[in-house]
Amino acid sequence: MAALARKVEPLRGSADAETVYELTGVGKTYARNRVRALEGISLSLQRGSFSSVIGSSGCGKSTLLKIMAGLTPPSAGRVTINGQPVMGPRRDIGMMFQHATLFPWRTTLENVLLPIEIRDGKAAARKARDRGADLLKLVGLEGFENVYPNELSGGMAQRAAICRMLVTEPDMILLDEPFSALDEISRDFMNMELQRICTETNATAFLVTHSIAEAVILSDHVYVLAPRPGRIAEVIEIDLPRPRTLDMITTPRFGALVERIRTRLDQGDF
Ligand code: ADP
């Protein structure tokens, strides 16, 4: 798996960690209906860190993710990845959504290689087959390379979607409730898998979620958004040791962090 590992230093959360992604004073007003979806969003994500954003429905989470992905331009502020402005969709940003949306007529491996085929053509995708197979192994799908999506469970399809997101070696991964369509047991398991994969590939991750527990178990920082206009109400540092394990959910520290976020969400105009 050495081929998948990228430079690991500086360590997660260390003082001199390298900033990968930065938003400065980002705002968004939709021209069509004059809705002020976001205002004054500033955040800085360090290489290898995991952050989550949580907030009530309509508080601007999807808008924030679309801006971060370069799919929607902000109306104010600055967005950069590795110091370069994000002006549109980029190769160094990977995204994953609630549904895996694998193409049924392509095998698992062909689905994983699709971003390379679209970007660099069929020959490049053929050359990347070993890398795709390595990624499938990383997520426990060894032996399923040539299987079609209708033979995969929901969790397996999401694992394949993780590989498809990672195949272009993005610097930043954006996750929009990737496991919310799965049952609770599969979801817990996939979250632990996501942590392991992010650690092994030193990915910098940003997750939109409705689940406070999910945000706490995965993140180094949780951004609590307040609505109308969407703004950062509080950034909560999650000081649980790594690697995180599911039994931490029953610890007093985990409970205190969940309670703090819940209280913040219950306050004022949430
Ligand atoms: P969330 O993801 O937290 O539910 P959204 O980012 O979808 O929030 O929406 C934030 C606000 O922006 C809402 O009031 C929503 O109605 C509005 N909004 C979202 N997308 C658009 C759009 N394309 N055009 C106009 N208004 C939008």
Side-chain angles (χ1 to χ4, degrees), residues 28-38 54-66 72 176-177 208 210 225 227-228 230:
K28 176 74 183 179
T29 301
Y30 285 104
R32 189 168 57 83
N33 50 7
R34 306 300 305 156
V35 166
R36 283 163 68 219
L38 294 173
I54 197 158
S56 56
S57 213
C59 75
K61 301 181 295 297
S62 300
T63 301
L64 178 60
L65 212 69
K66 279 190 236 158
T72 300
D176 193 356
E177 302 200 67
V208 166
H210 276 107
L225 278 197
R228 292 179 298 276

Side-chain angles (χ1 to χ4, degrees), residues 42-115:
S42 294
L43 56 87
S44 172
L45 306 177
Q46 311 303 312
R47 186 169 303 281
S49 65
F50 199 113
S51 307
S52 297
V53 60
I54 197 158
S56 56
S57 213
C59 75
K61 301 181 295 297
S62 300
T63 301
L64 178 60
L65 212 69
K66 279 190 236 158
I67 289 173
M68 290 177 75
L71 300 174
T72 300
S75 353
R78 192 175 143 79
V79 184
T80 61
I81 181 164
N82 295 320
Q84 299 173 352
V86 175
M87 314 276 276
R90 296 180 59 103
R91 295 172 172 193
D92 46 8
I93 299 175
M95 284 200 83
M96 192 172 158
F97 304 96
Q98 196 171 339
H99 297 288
T101 57
L102 302 176
F103 288 120
W105 60 86
R106 296 179 72 110
T107 65
T108 308
L109 182 57
E110 286 166 354
N111 268 288
V112 168
L113 296 173
L114 187 62

